[in-house]
Amino acid sequence: MEQTYVMVKPDGVQRGLVGEIISKIEKRGLKLVALRMNVISEATAKEHYSEHAAKPFFPGLVGFITSGPSVSMVVAGKDAIRVVRAINGATNPVDAAPGTIRGDFALDVGRNVVHASDSPEAAAREIAIHFKDSEIGNYSRIDEVCLYE
Ligand code: DAT
Ligand code: MG
């Protein structure tokens, strides 16, 4: 099953949205296989967002993502990368469809509540940045017999 890296950013934690966000992911049928709350270090934030290092919003993005506790997870399931990106909605919340996390809970692109990997390569890279192999669980959910044909 495909794995993806997902983060509830510091704004989502401050606004009490952690449970609702995790609930959407779980109820969809995706499986949590790793979960942690921590304040991400500046070095980890820069590595995580290295593709944006040259962009004007990069310093603000790194400052924001390290500004308080965030929740990191690894989520597994069928097409987990595409499915979580769809659950999150468009990067700019103004363009995000209602029903998505960003479309329901955010307005500003720099305060868009959630992150998720956008490709298999990004997922592998981001999971390795945030978790050791030993922190990623391997189990079956009891409802997998109903979720998958
Ligand atoms: P996504 O988070 O949907 O993968 P991205 O990789 O293009 O989007 O950008 C990473 C984050 O950077 C995004 O969630 C919010 C911030 N960001 C992107 N574009 C921005 C902009 N024009 N101004 C401010 N922040 C921006
Ligand atoms: Mg991205």
Side-chain angles (χ1 to χ4, degrees):
M1 282 293 167
E2 189 170 77
Q3 295 188 342
T4 187
Y5 171 74
V6 185
M7 185 199 302
V8 182
K9 297 179 180 181
D11 53 341
V13 173
Q14 289 297 322
R15 294 174 57 203
L17 297 173
V18 173
E20 200 155 346
I21 290 164
I22 291 177
S23 189
K24 272 182 187 277
I25 292 168
E26 284 189 303
K27 285 181 186 162
R28 183 66 181 267
L30 294 170
K31 180 165 63 183
L32 282 171
V33 294
L35 180 68
R36 174 200 309 122
M37 173 182 276
N38 69 319
V39 180
I40 289 175
S41 71
E42 186 177 325
T44 299
K46 285 180 171 168
E47 195 182 352
H48 173 86
Y49 278 127
S50 56
E51 68 175 299
H52 299 302
K55 311 250 172 78
F57 59 81
F58 184 71
L61 178 61
V62 170
F64 167 61
I65 220 73
T66 58
S67 66
S70 54
V71 171
S72 281
M73 49 199 134
V74 180
V75 170
K78 183 179 181 184
D79 285 319
I81 296 167
R82 274 203 302 146
V83 170
V84 179
R85 292 283 296 186
I87 290 170
N88 285 1
T91 301
N92 189 338
V94 168
D95 300 322
T100 65
I101 292 165
R102 290 161 171 172
D104 284 350
F105 300 130
L107 287 168
D108 227 355
V109 68
R111 297 290 184 273
N112 62 5
V113 180
V114 276
H115 166 86
S117 310
D118 65 5
S119 67
E121 297 70 32
R125 194 182 77 84
E126 293 170 6
I127 290 168
I129 289 171
H130 296 277
F131 290 97
K132 300 176 202 153
D133 279 349
S134 62
E135 294 176 305
I136 301 173
N138 179 21
Y139 68 102
S140 294
R141 246 172 67 163
I142 197 79
D143 60 0
E144 281 169 15
V145 291
C146 311
L147 277 164
Y148 296 109
E149 64 179 353

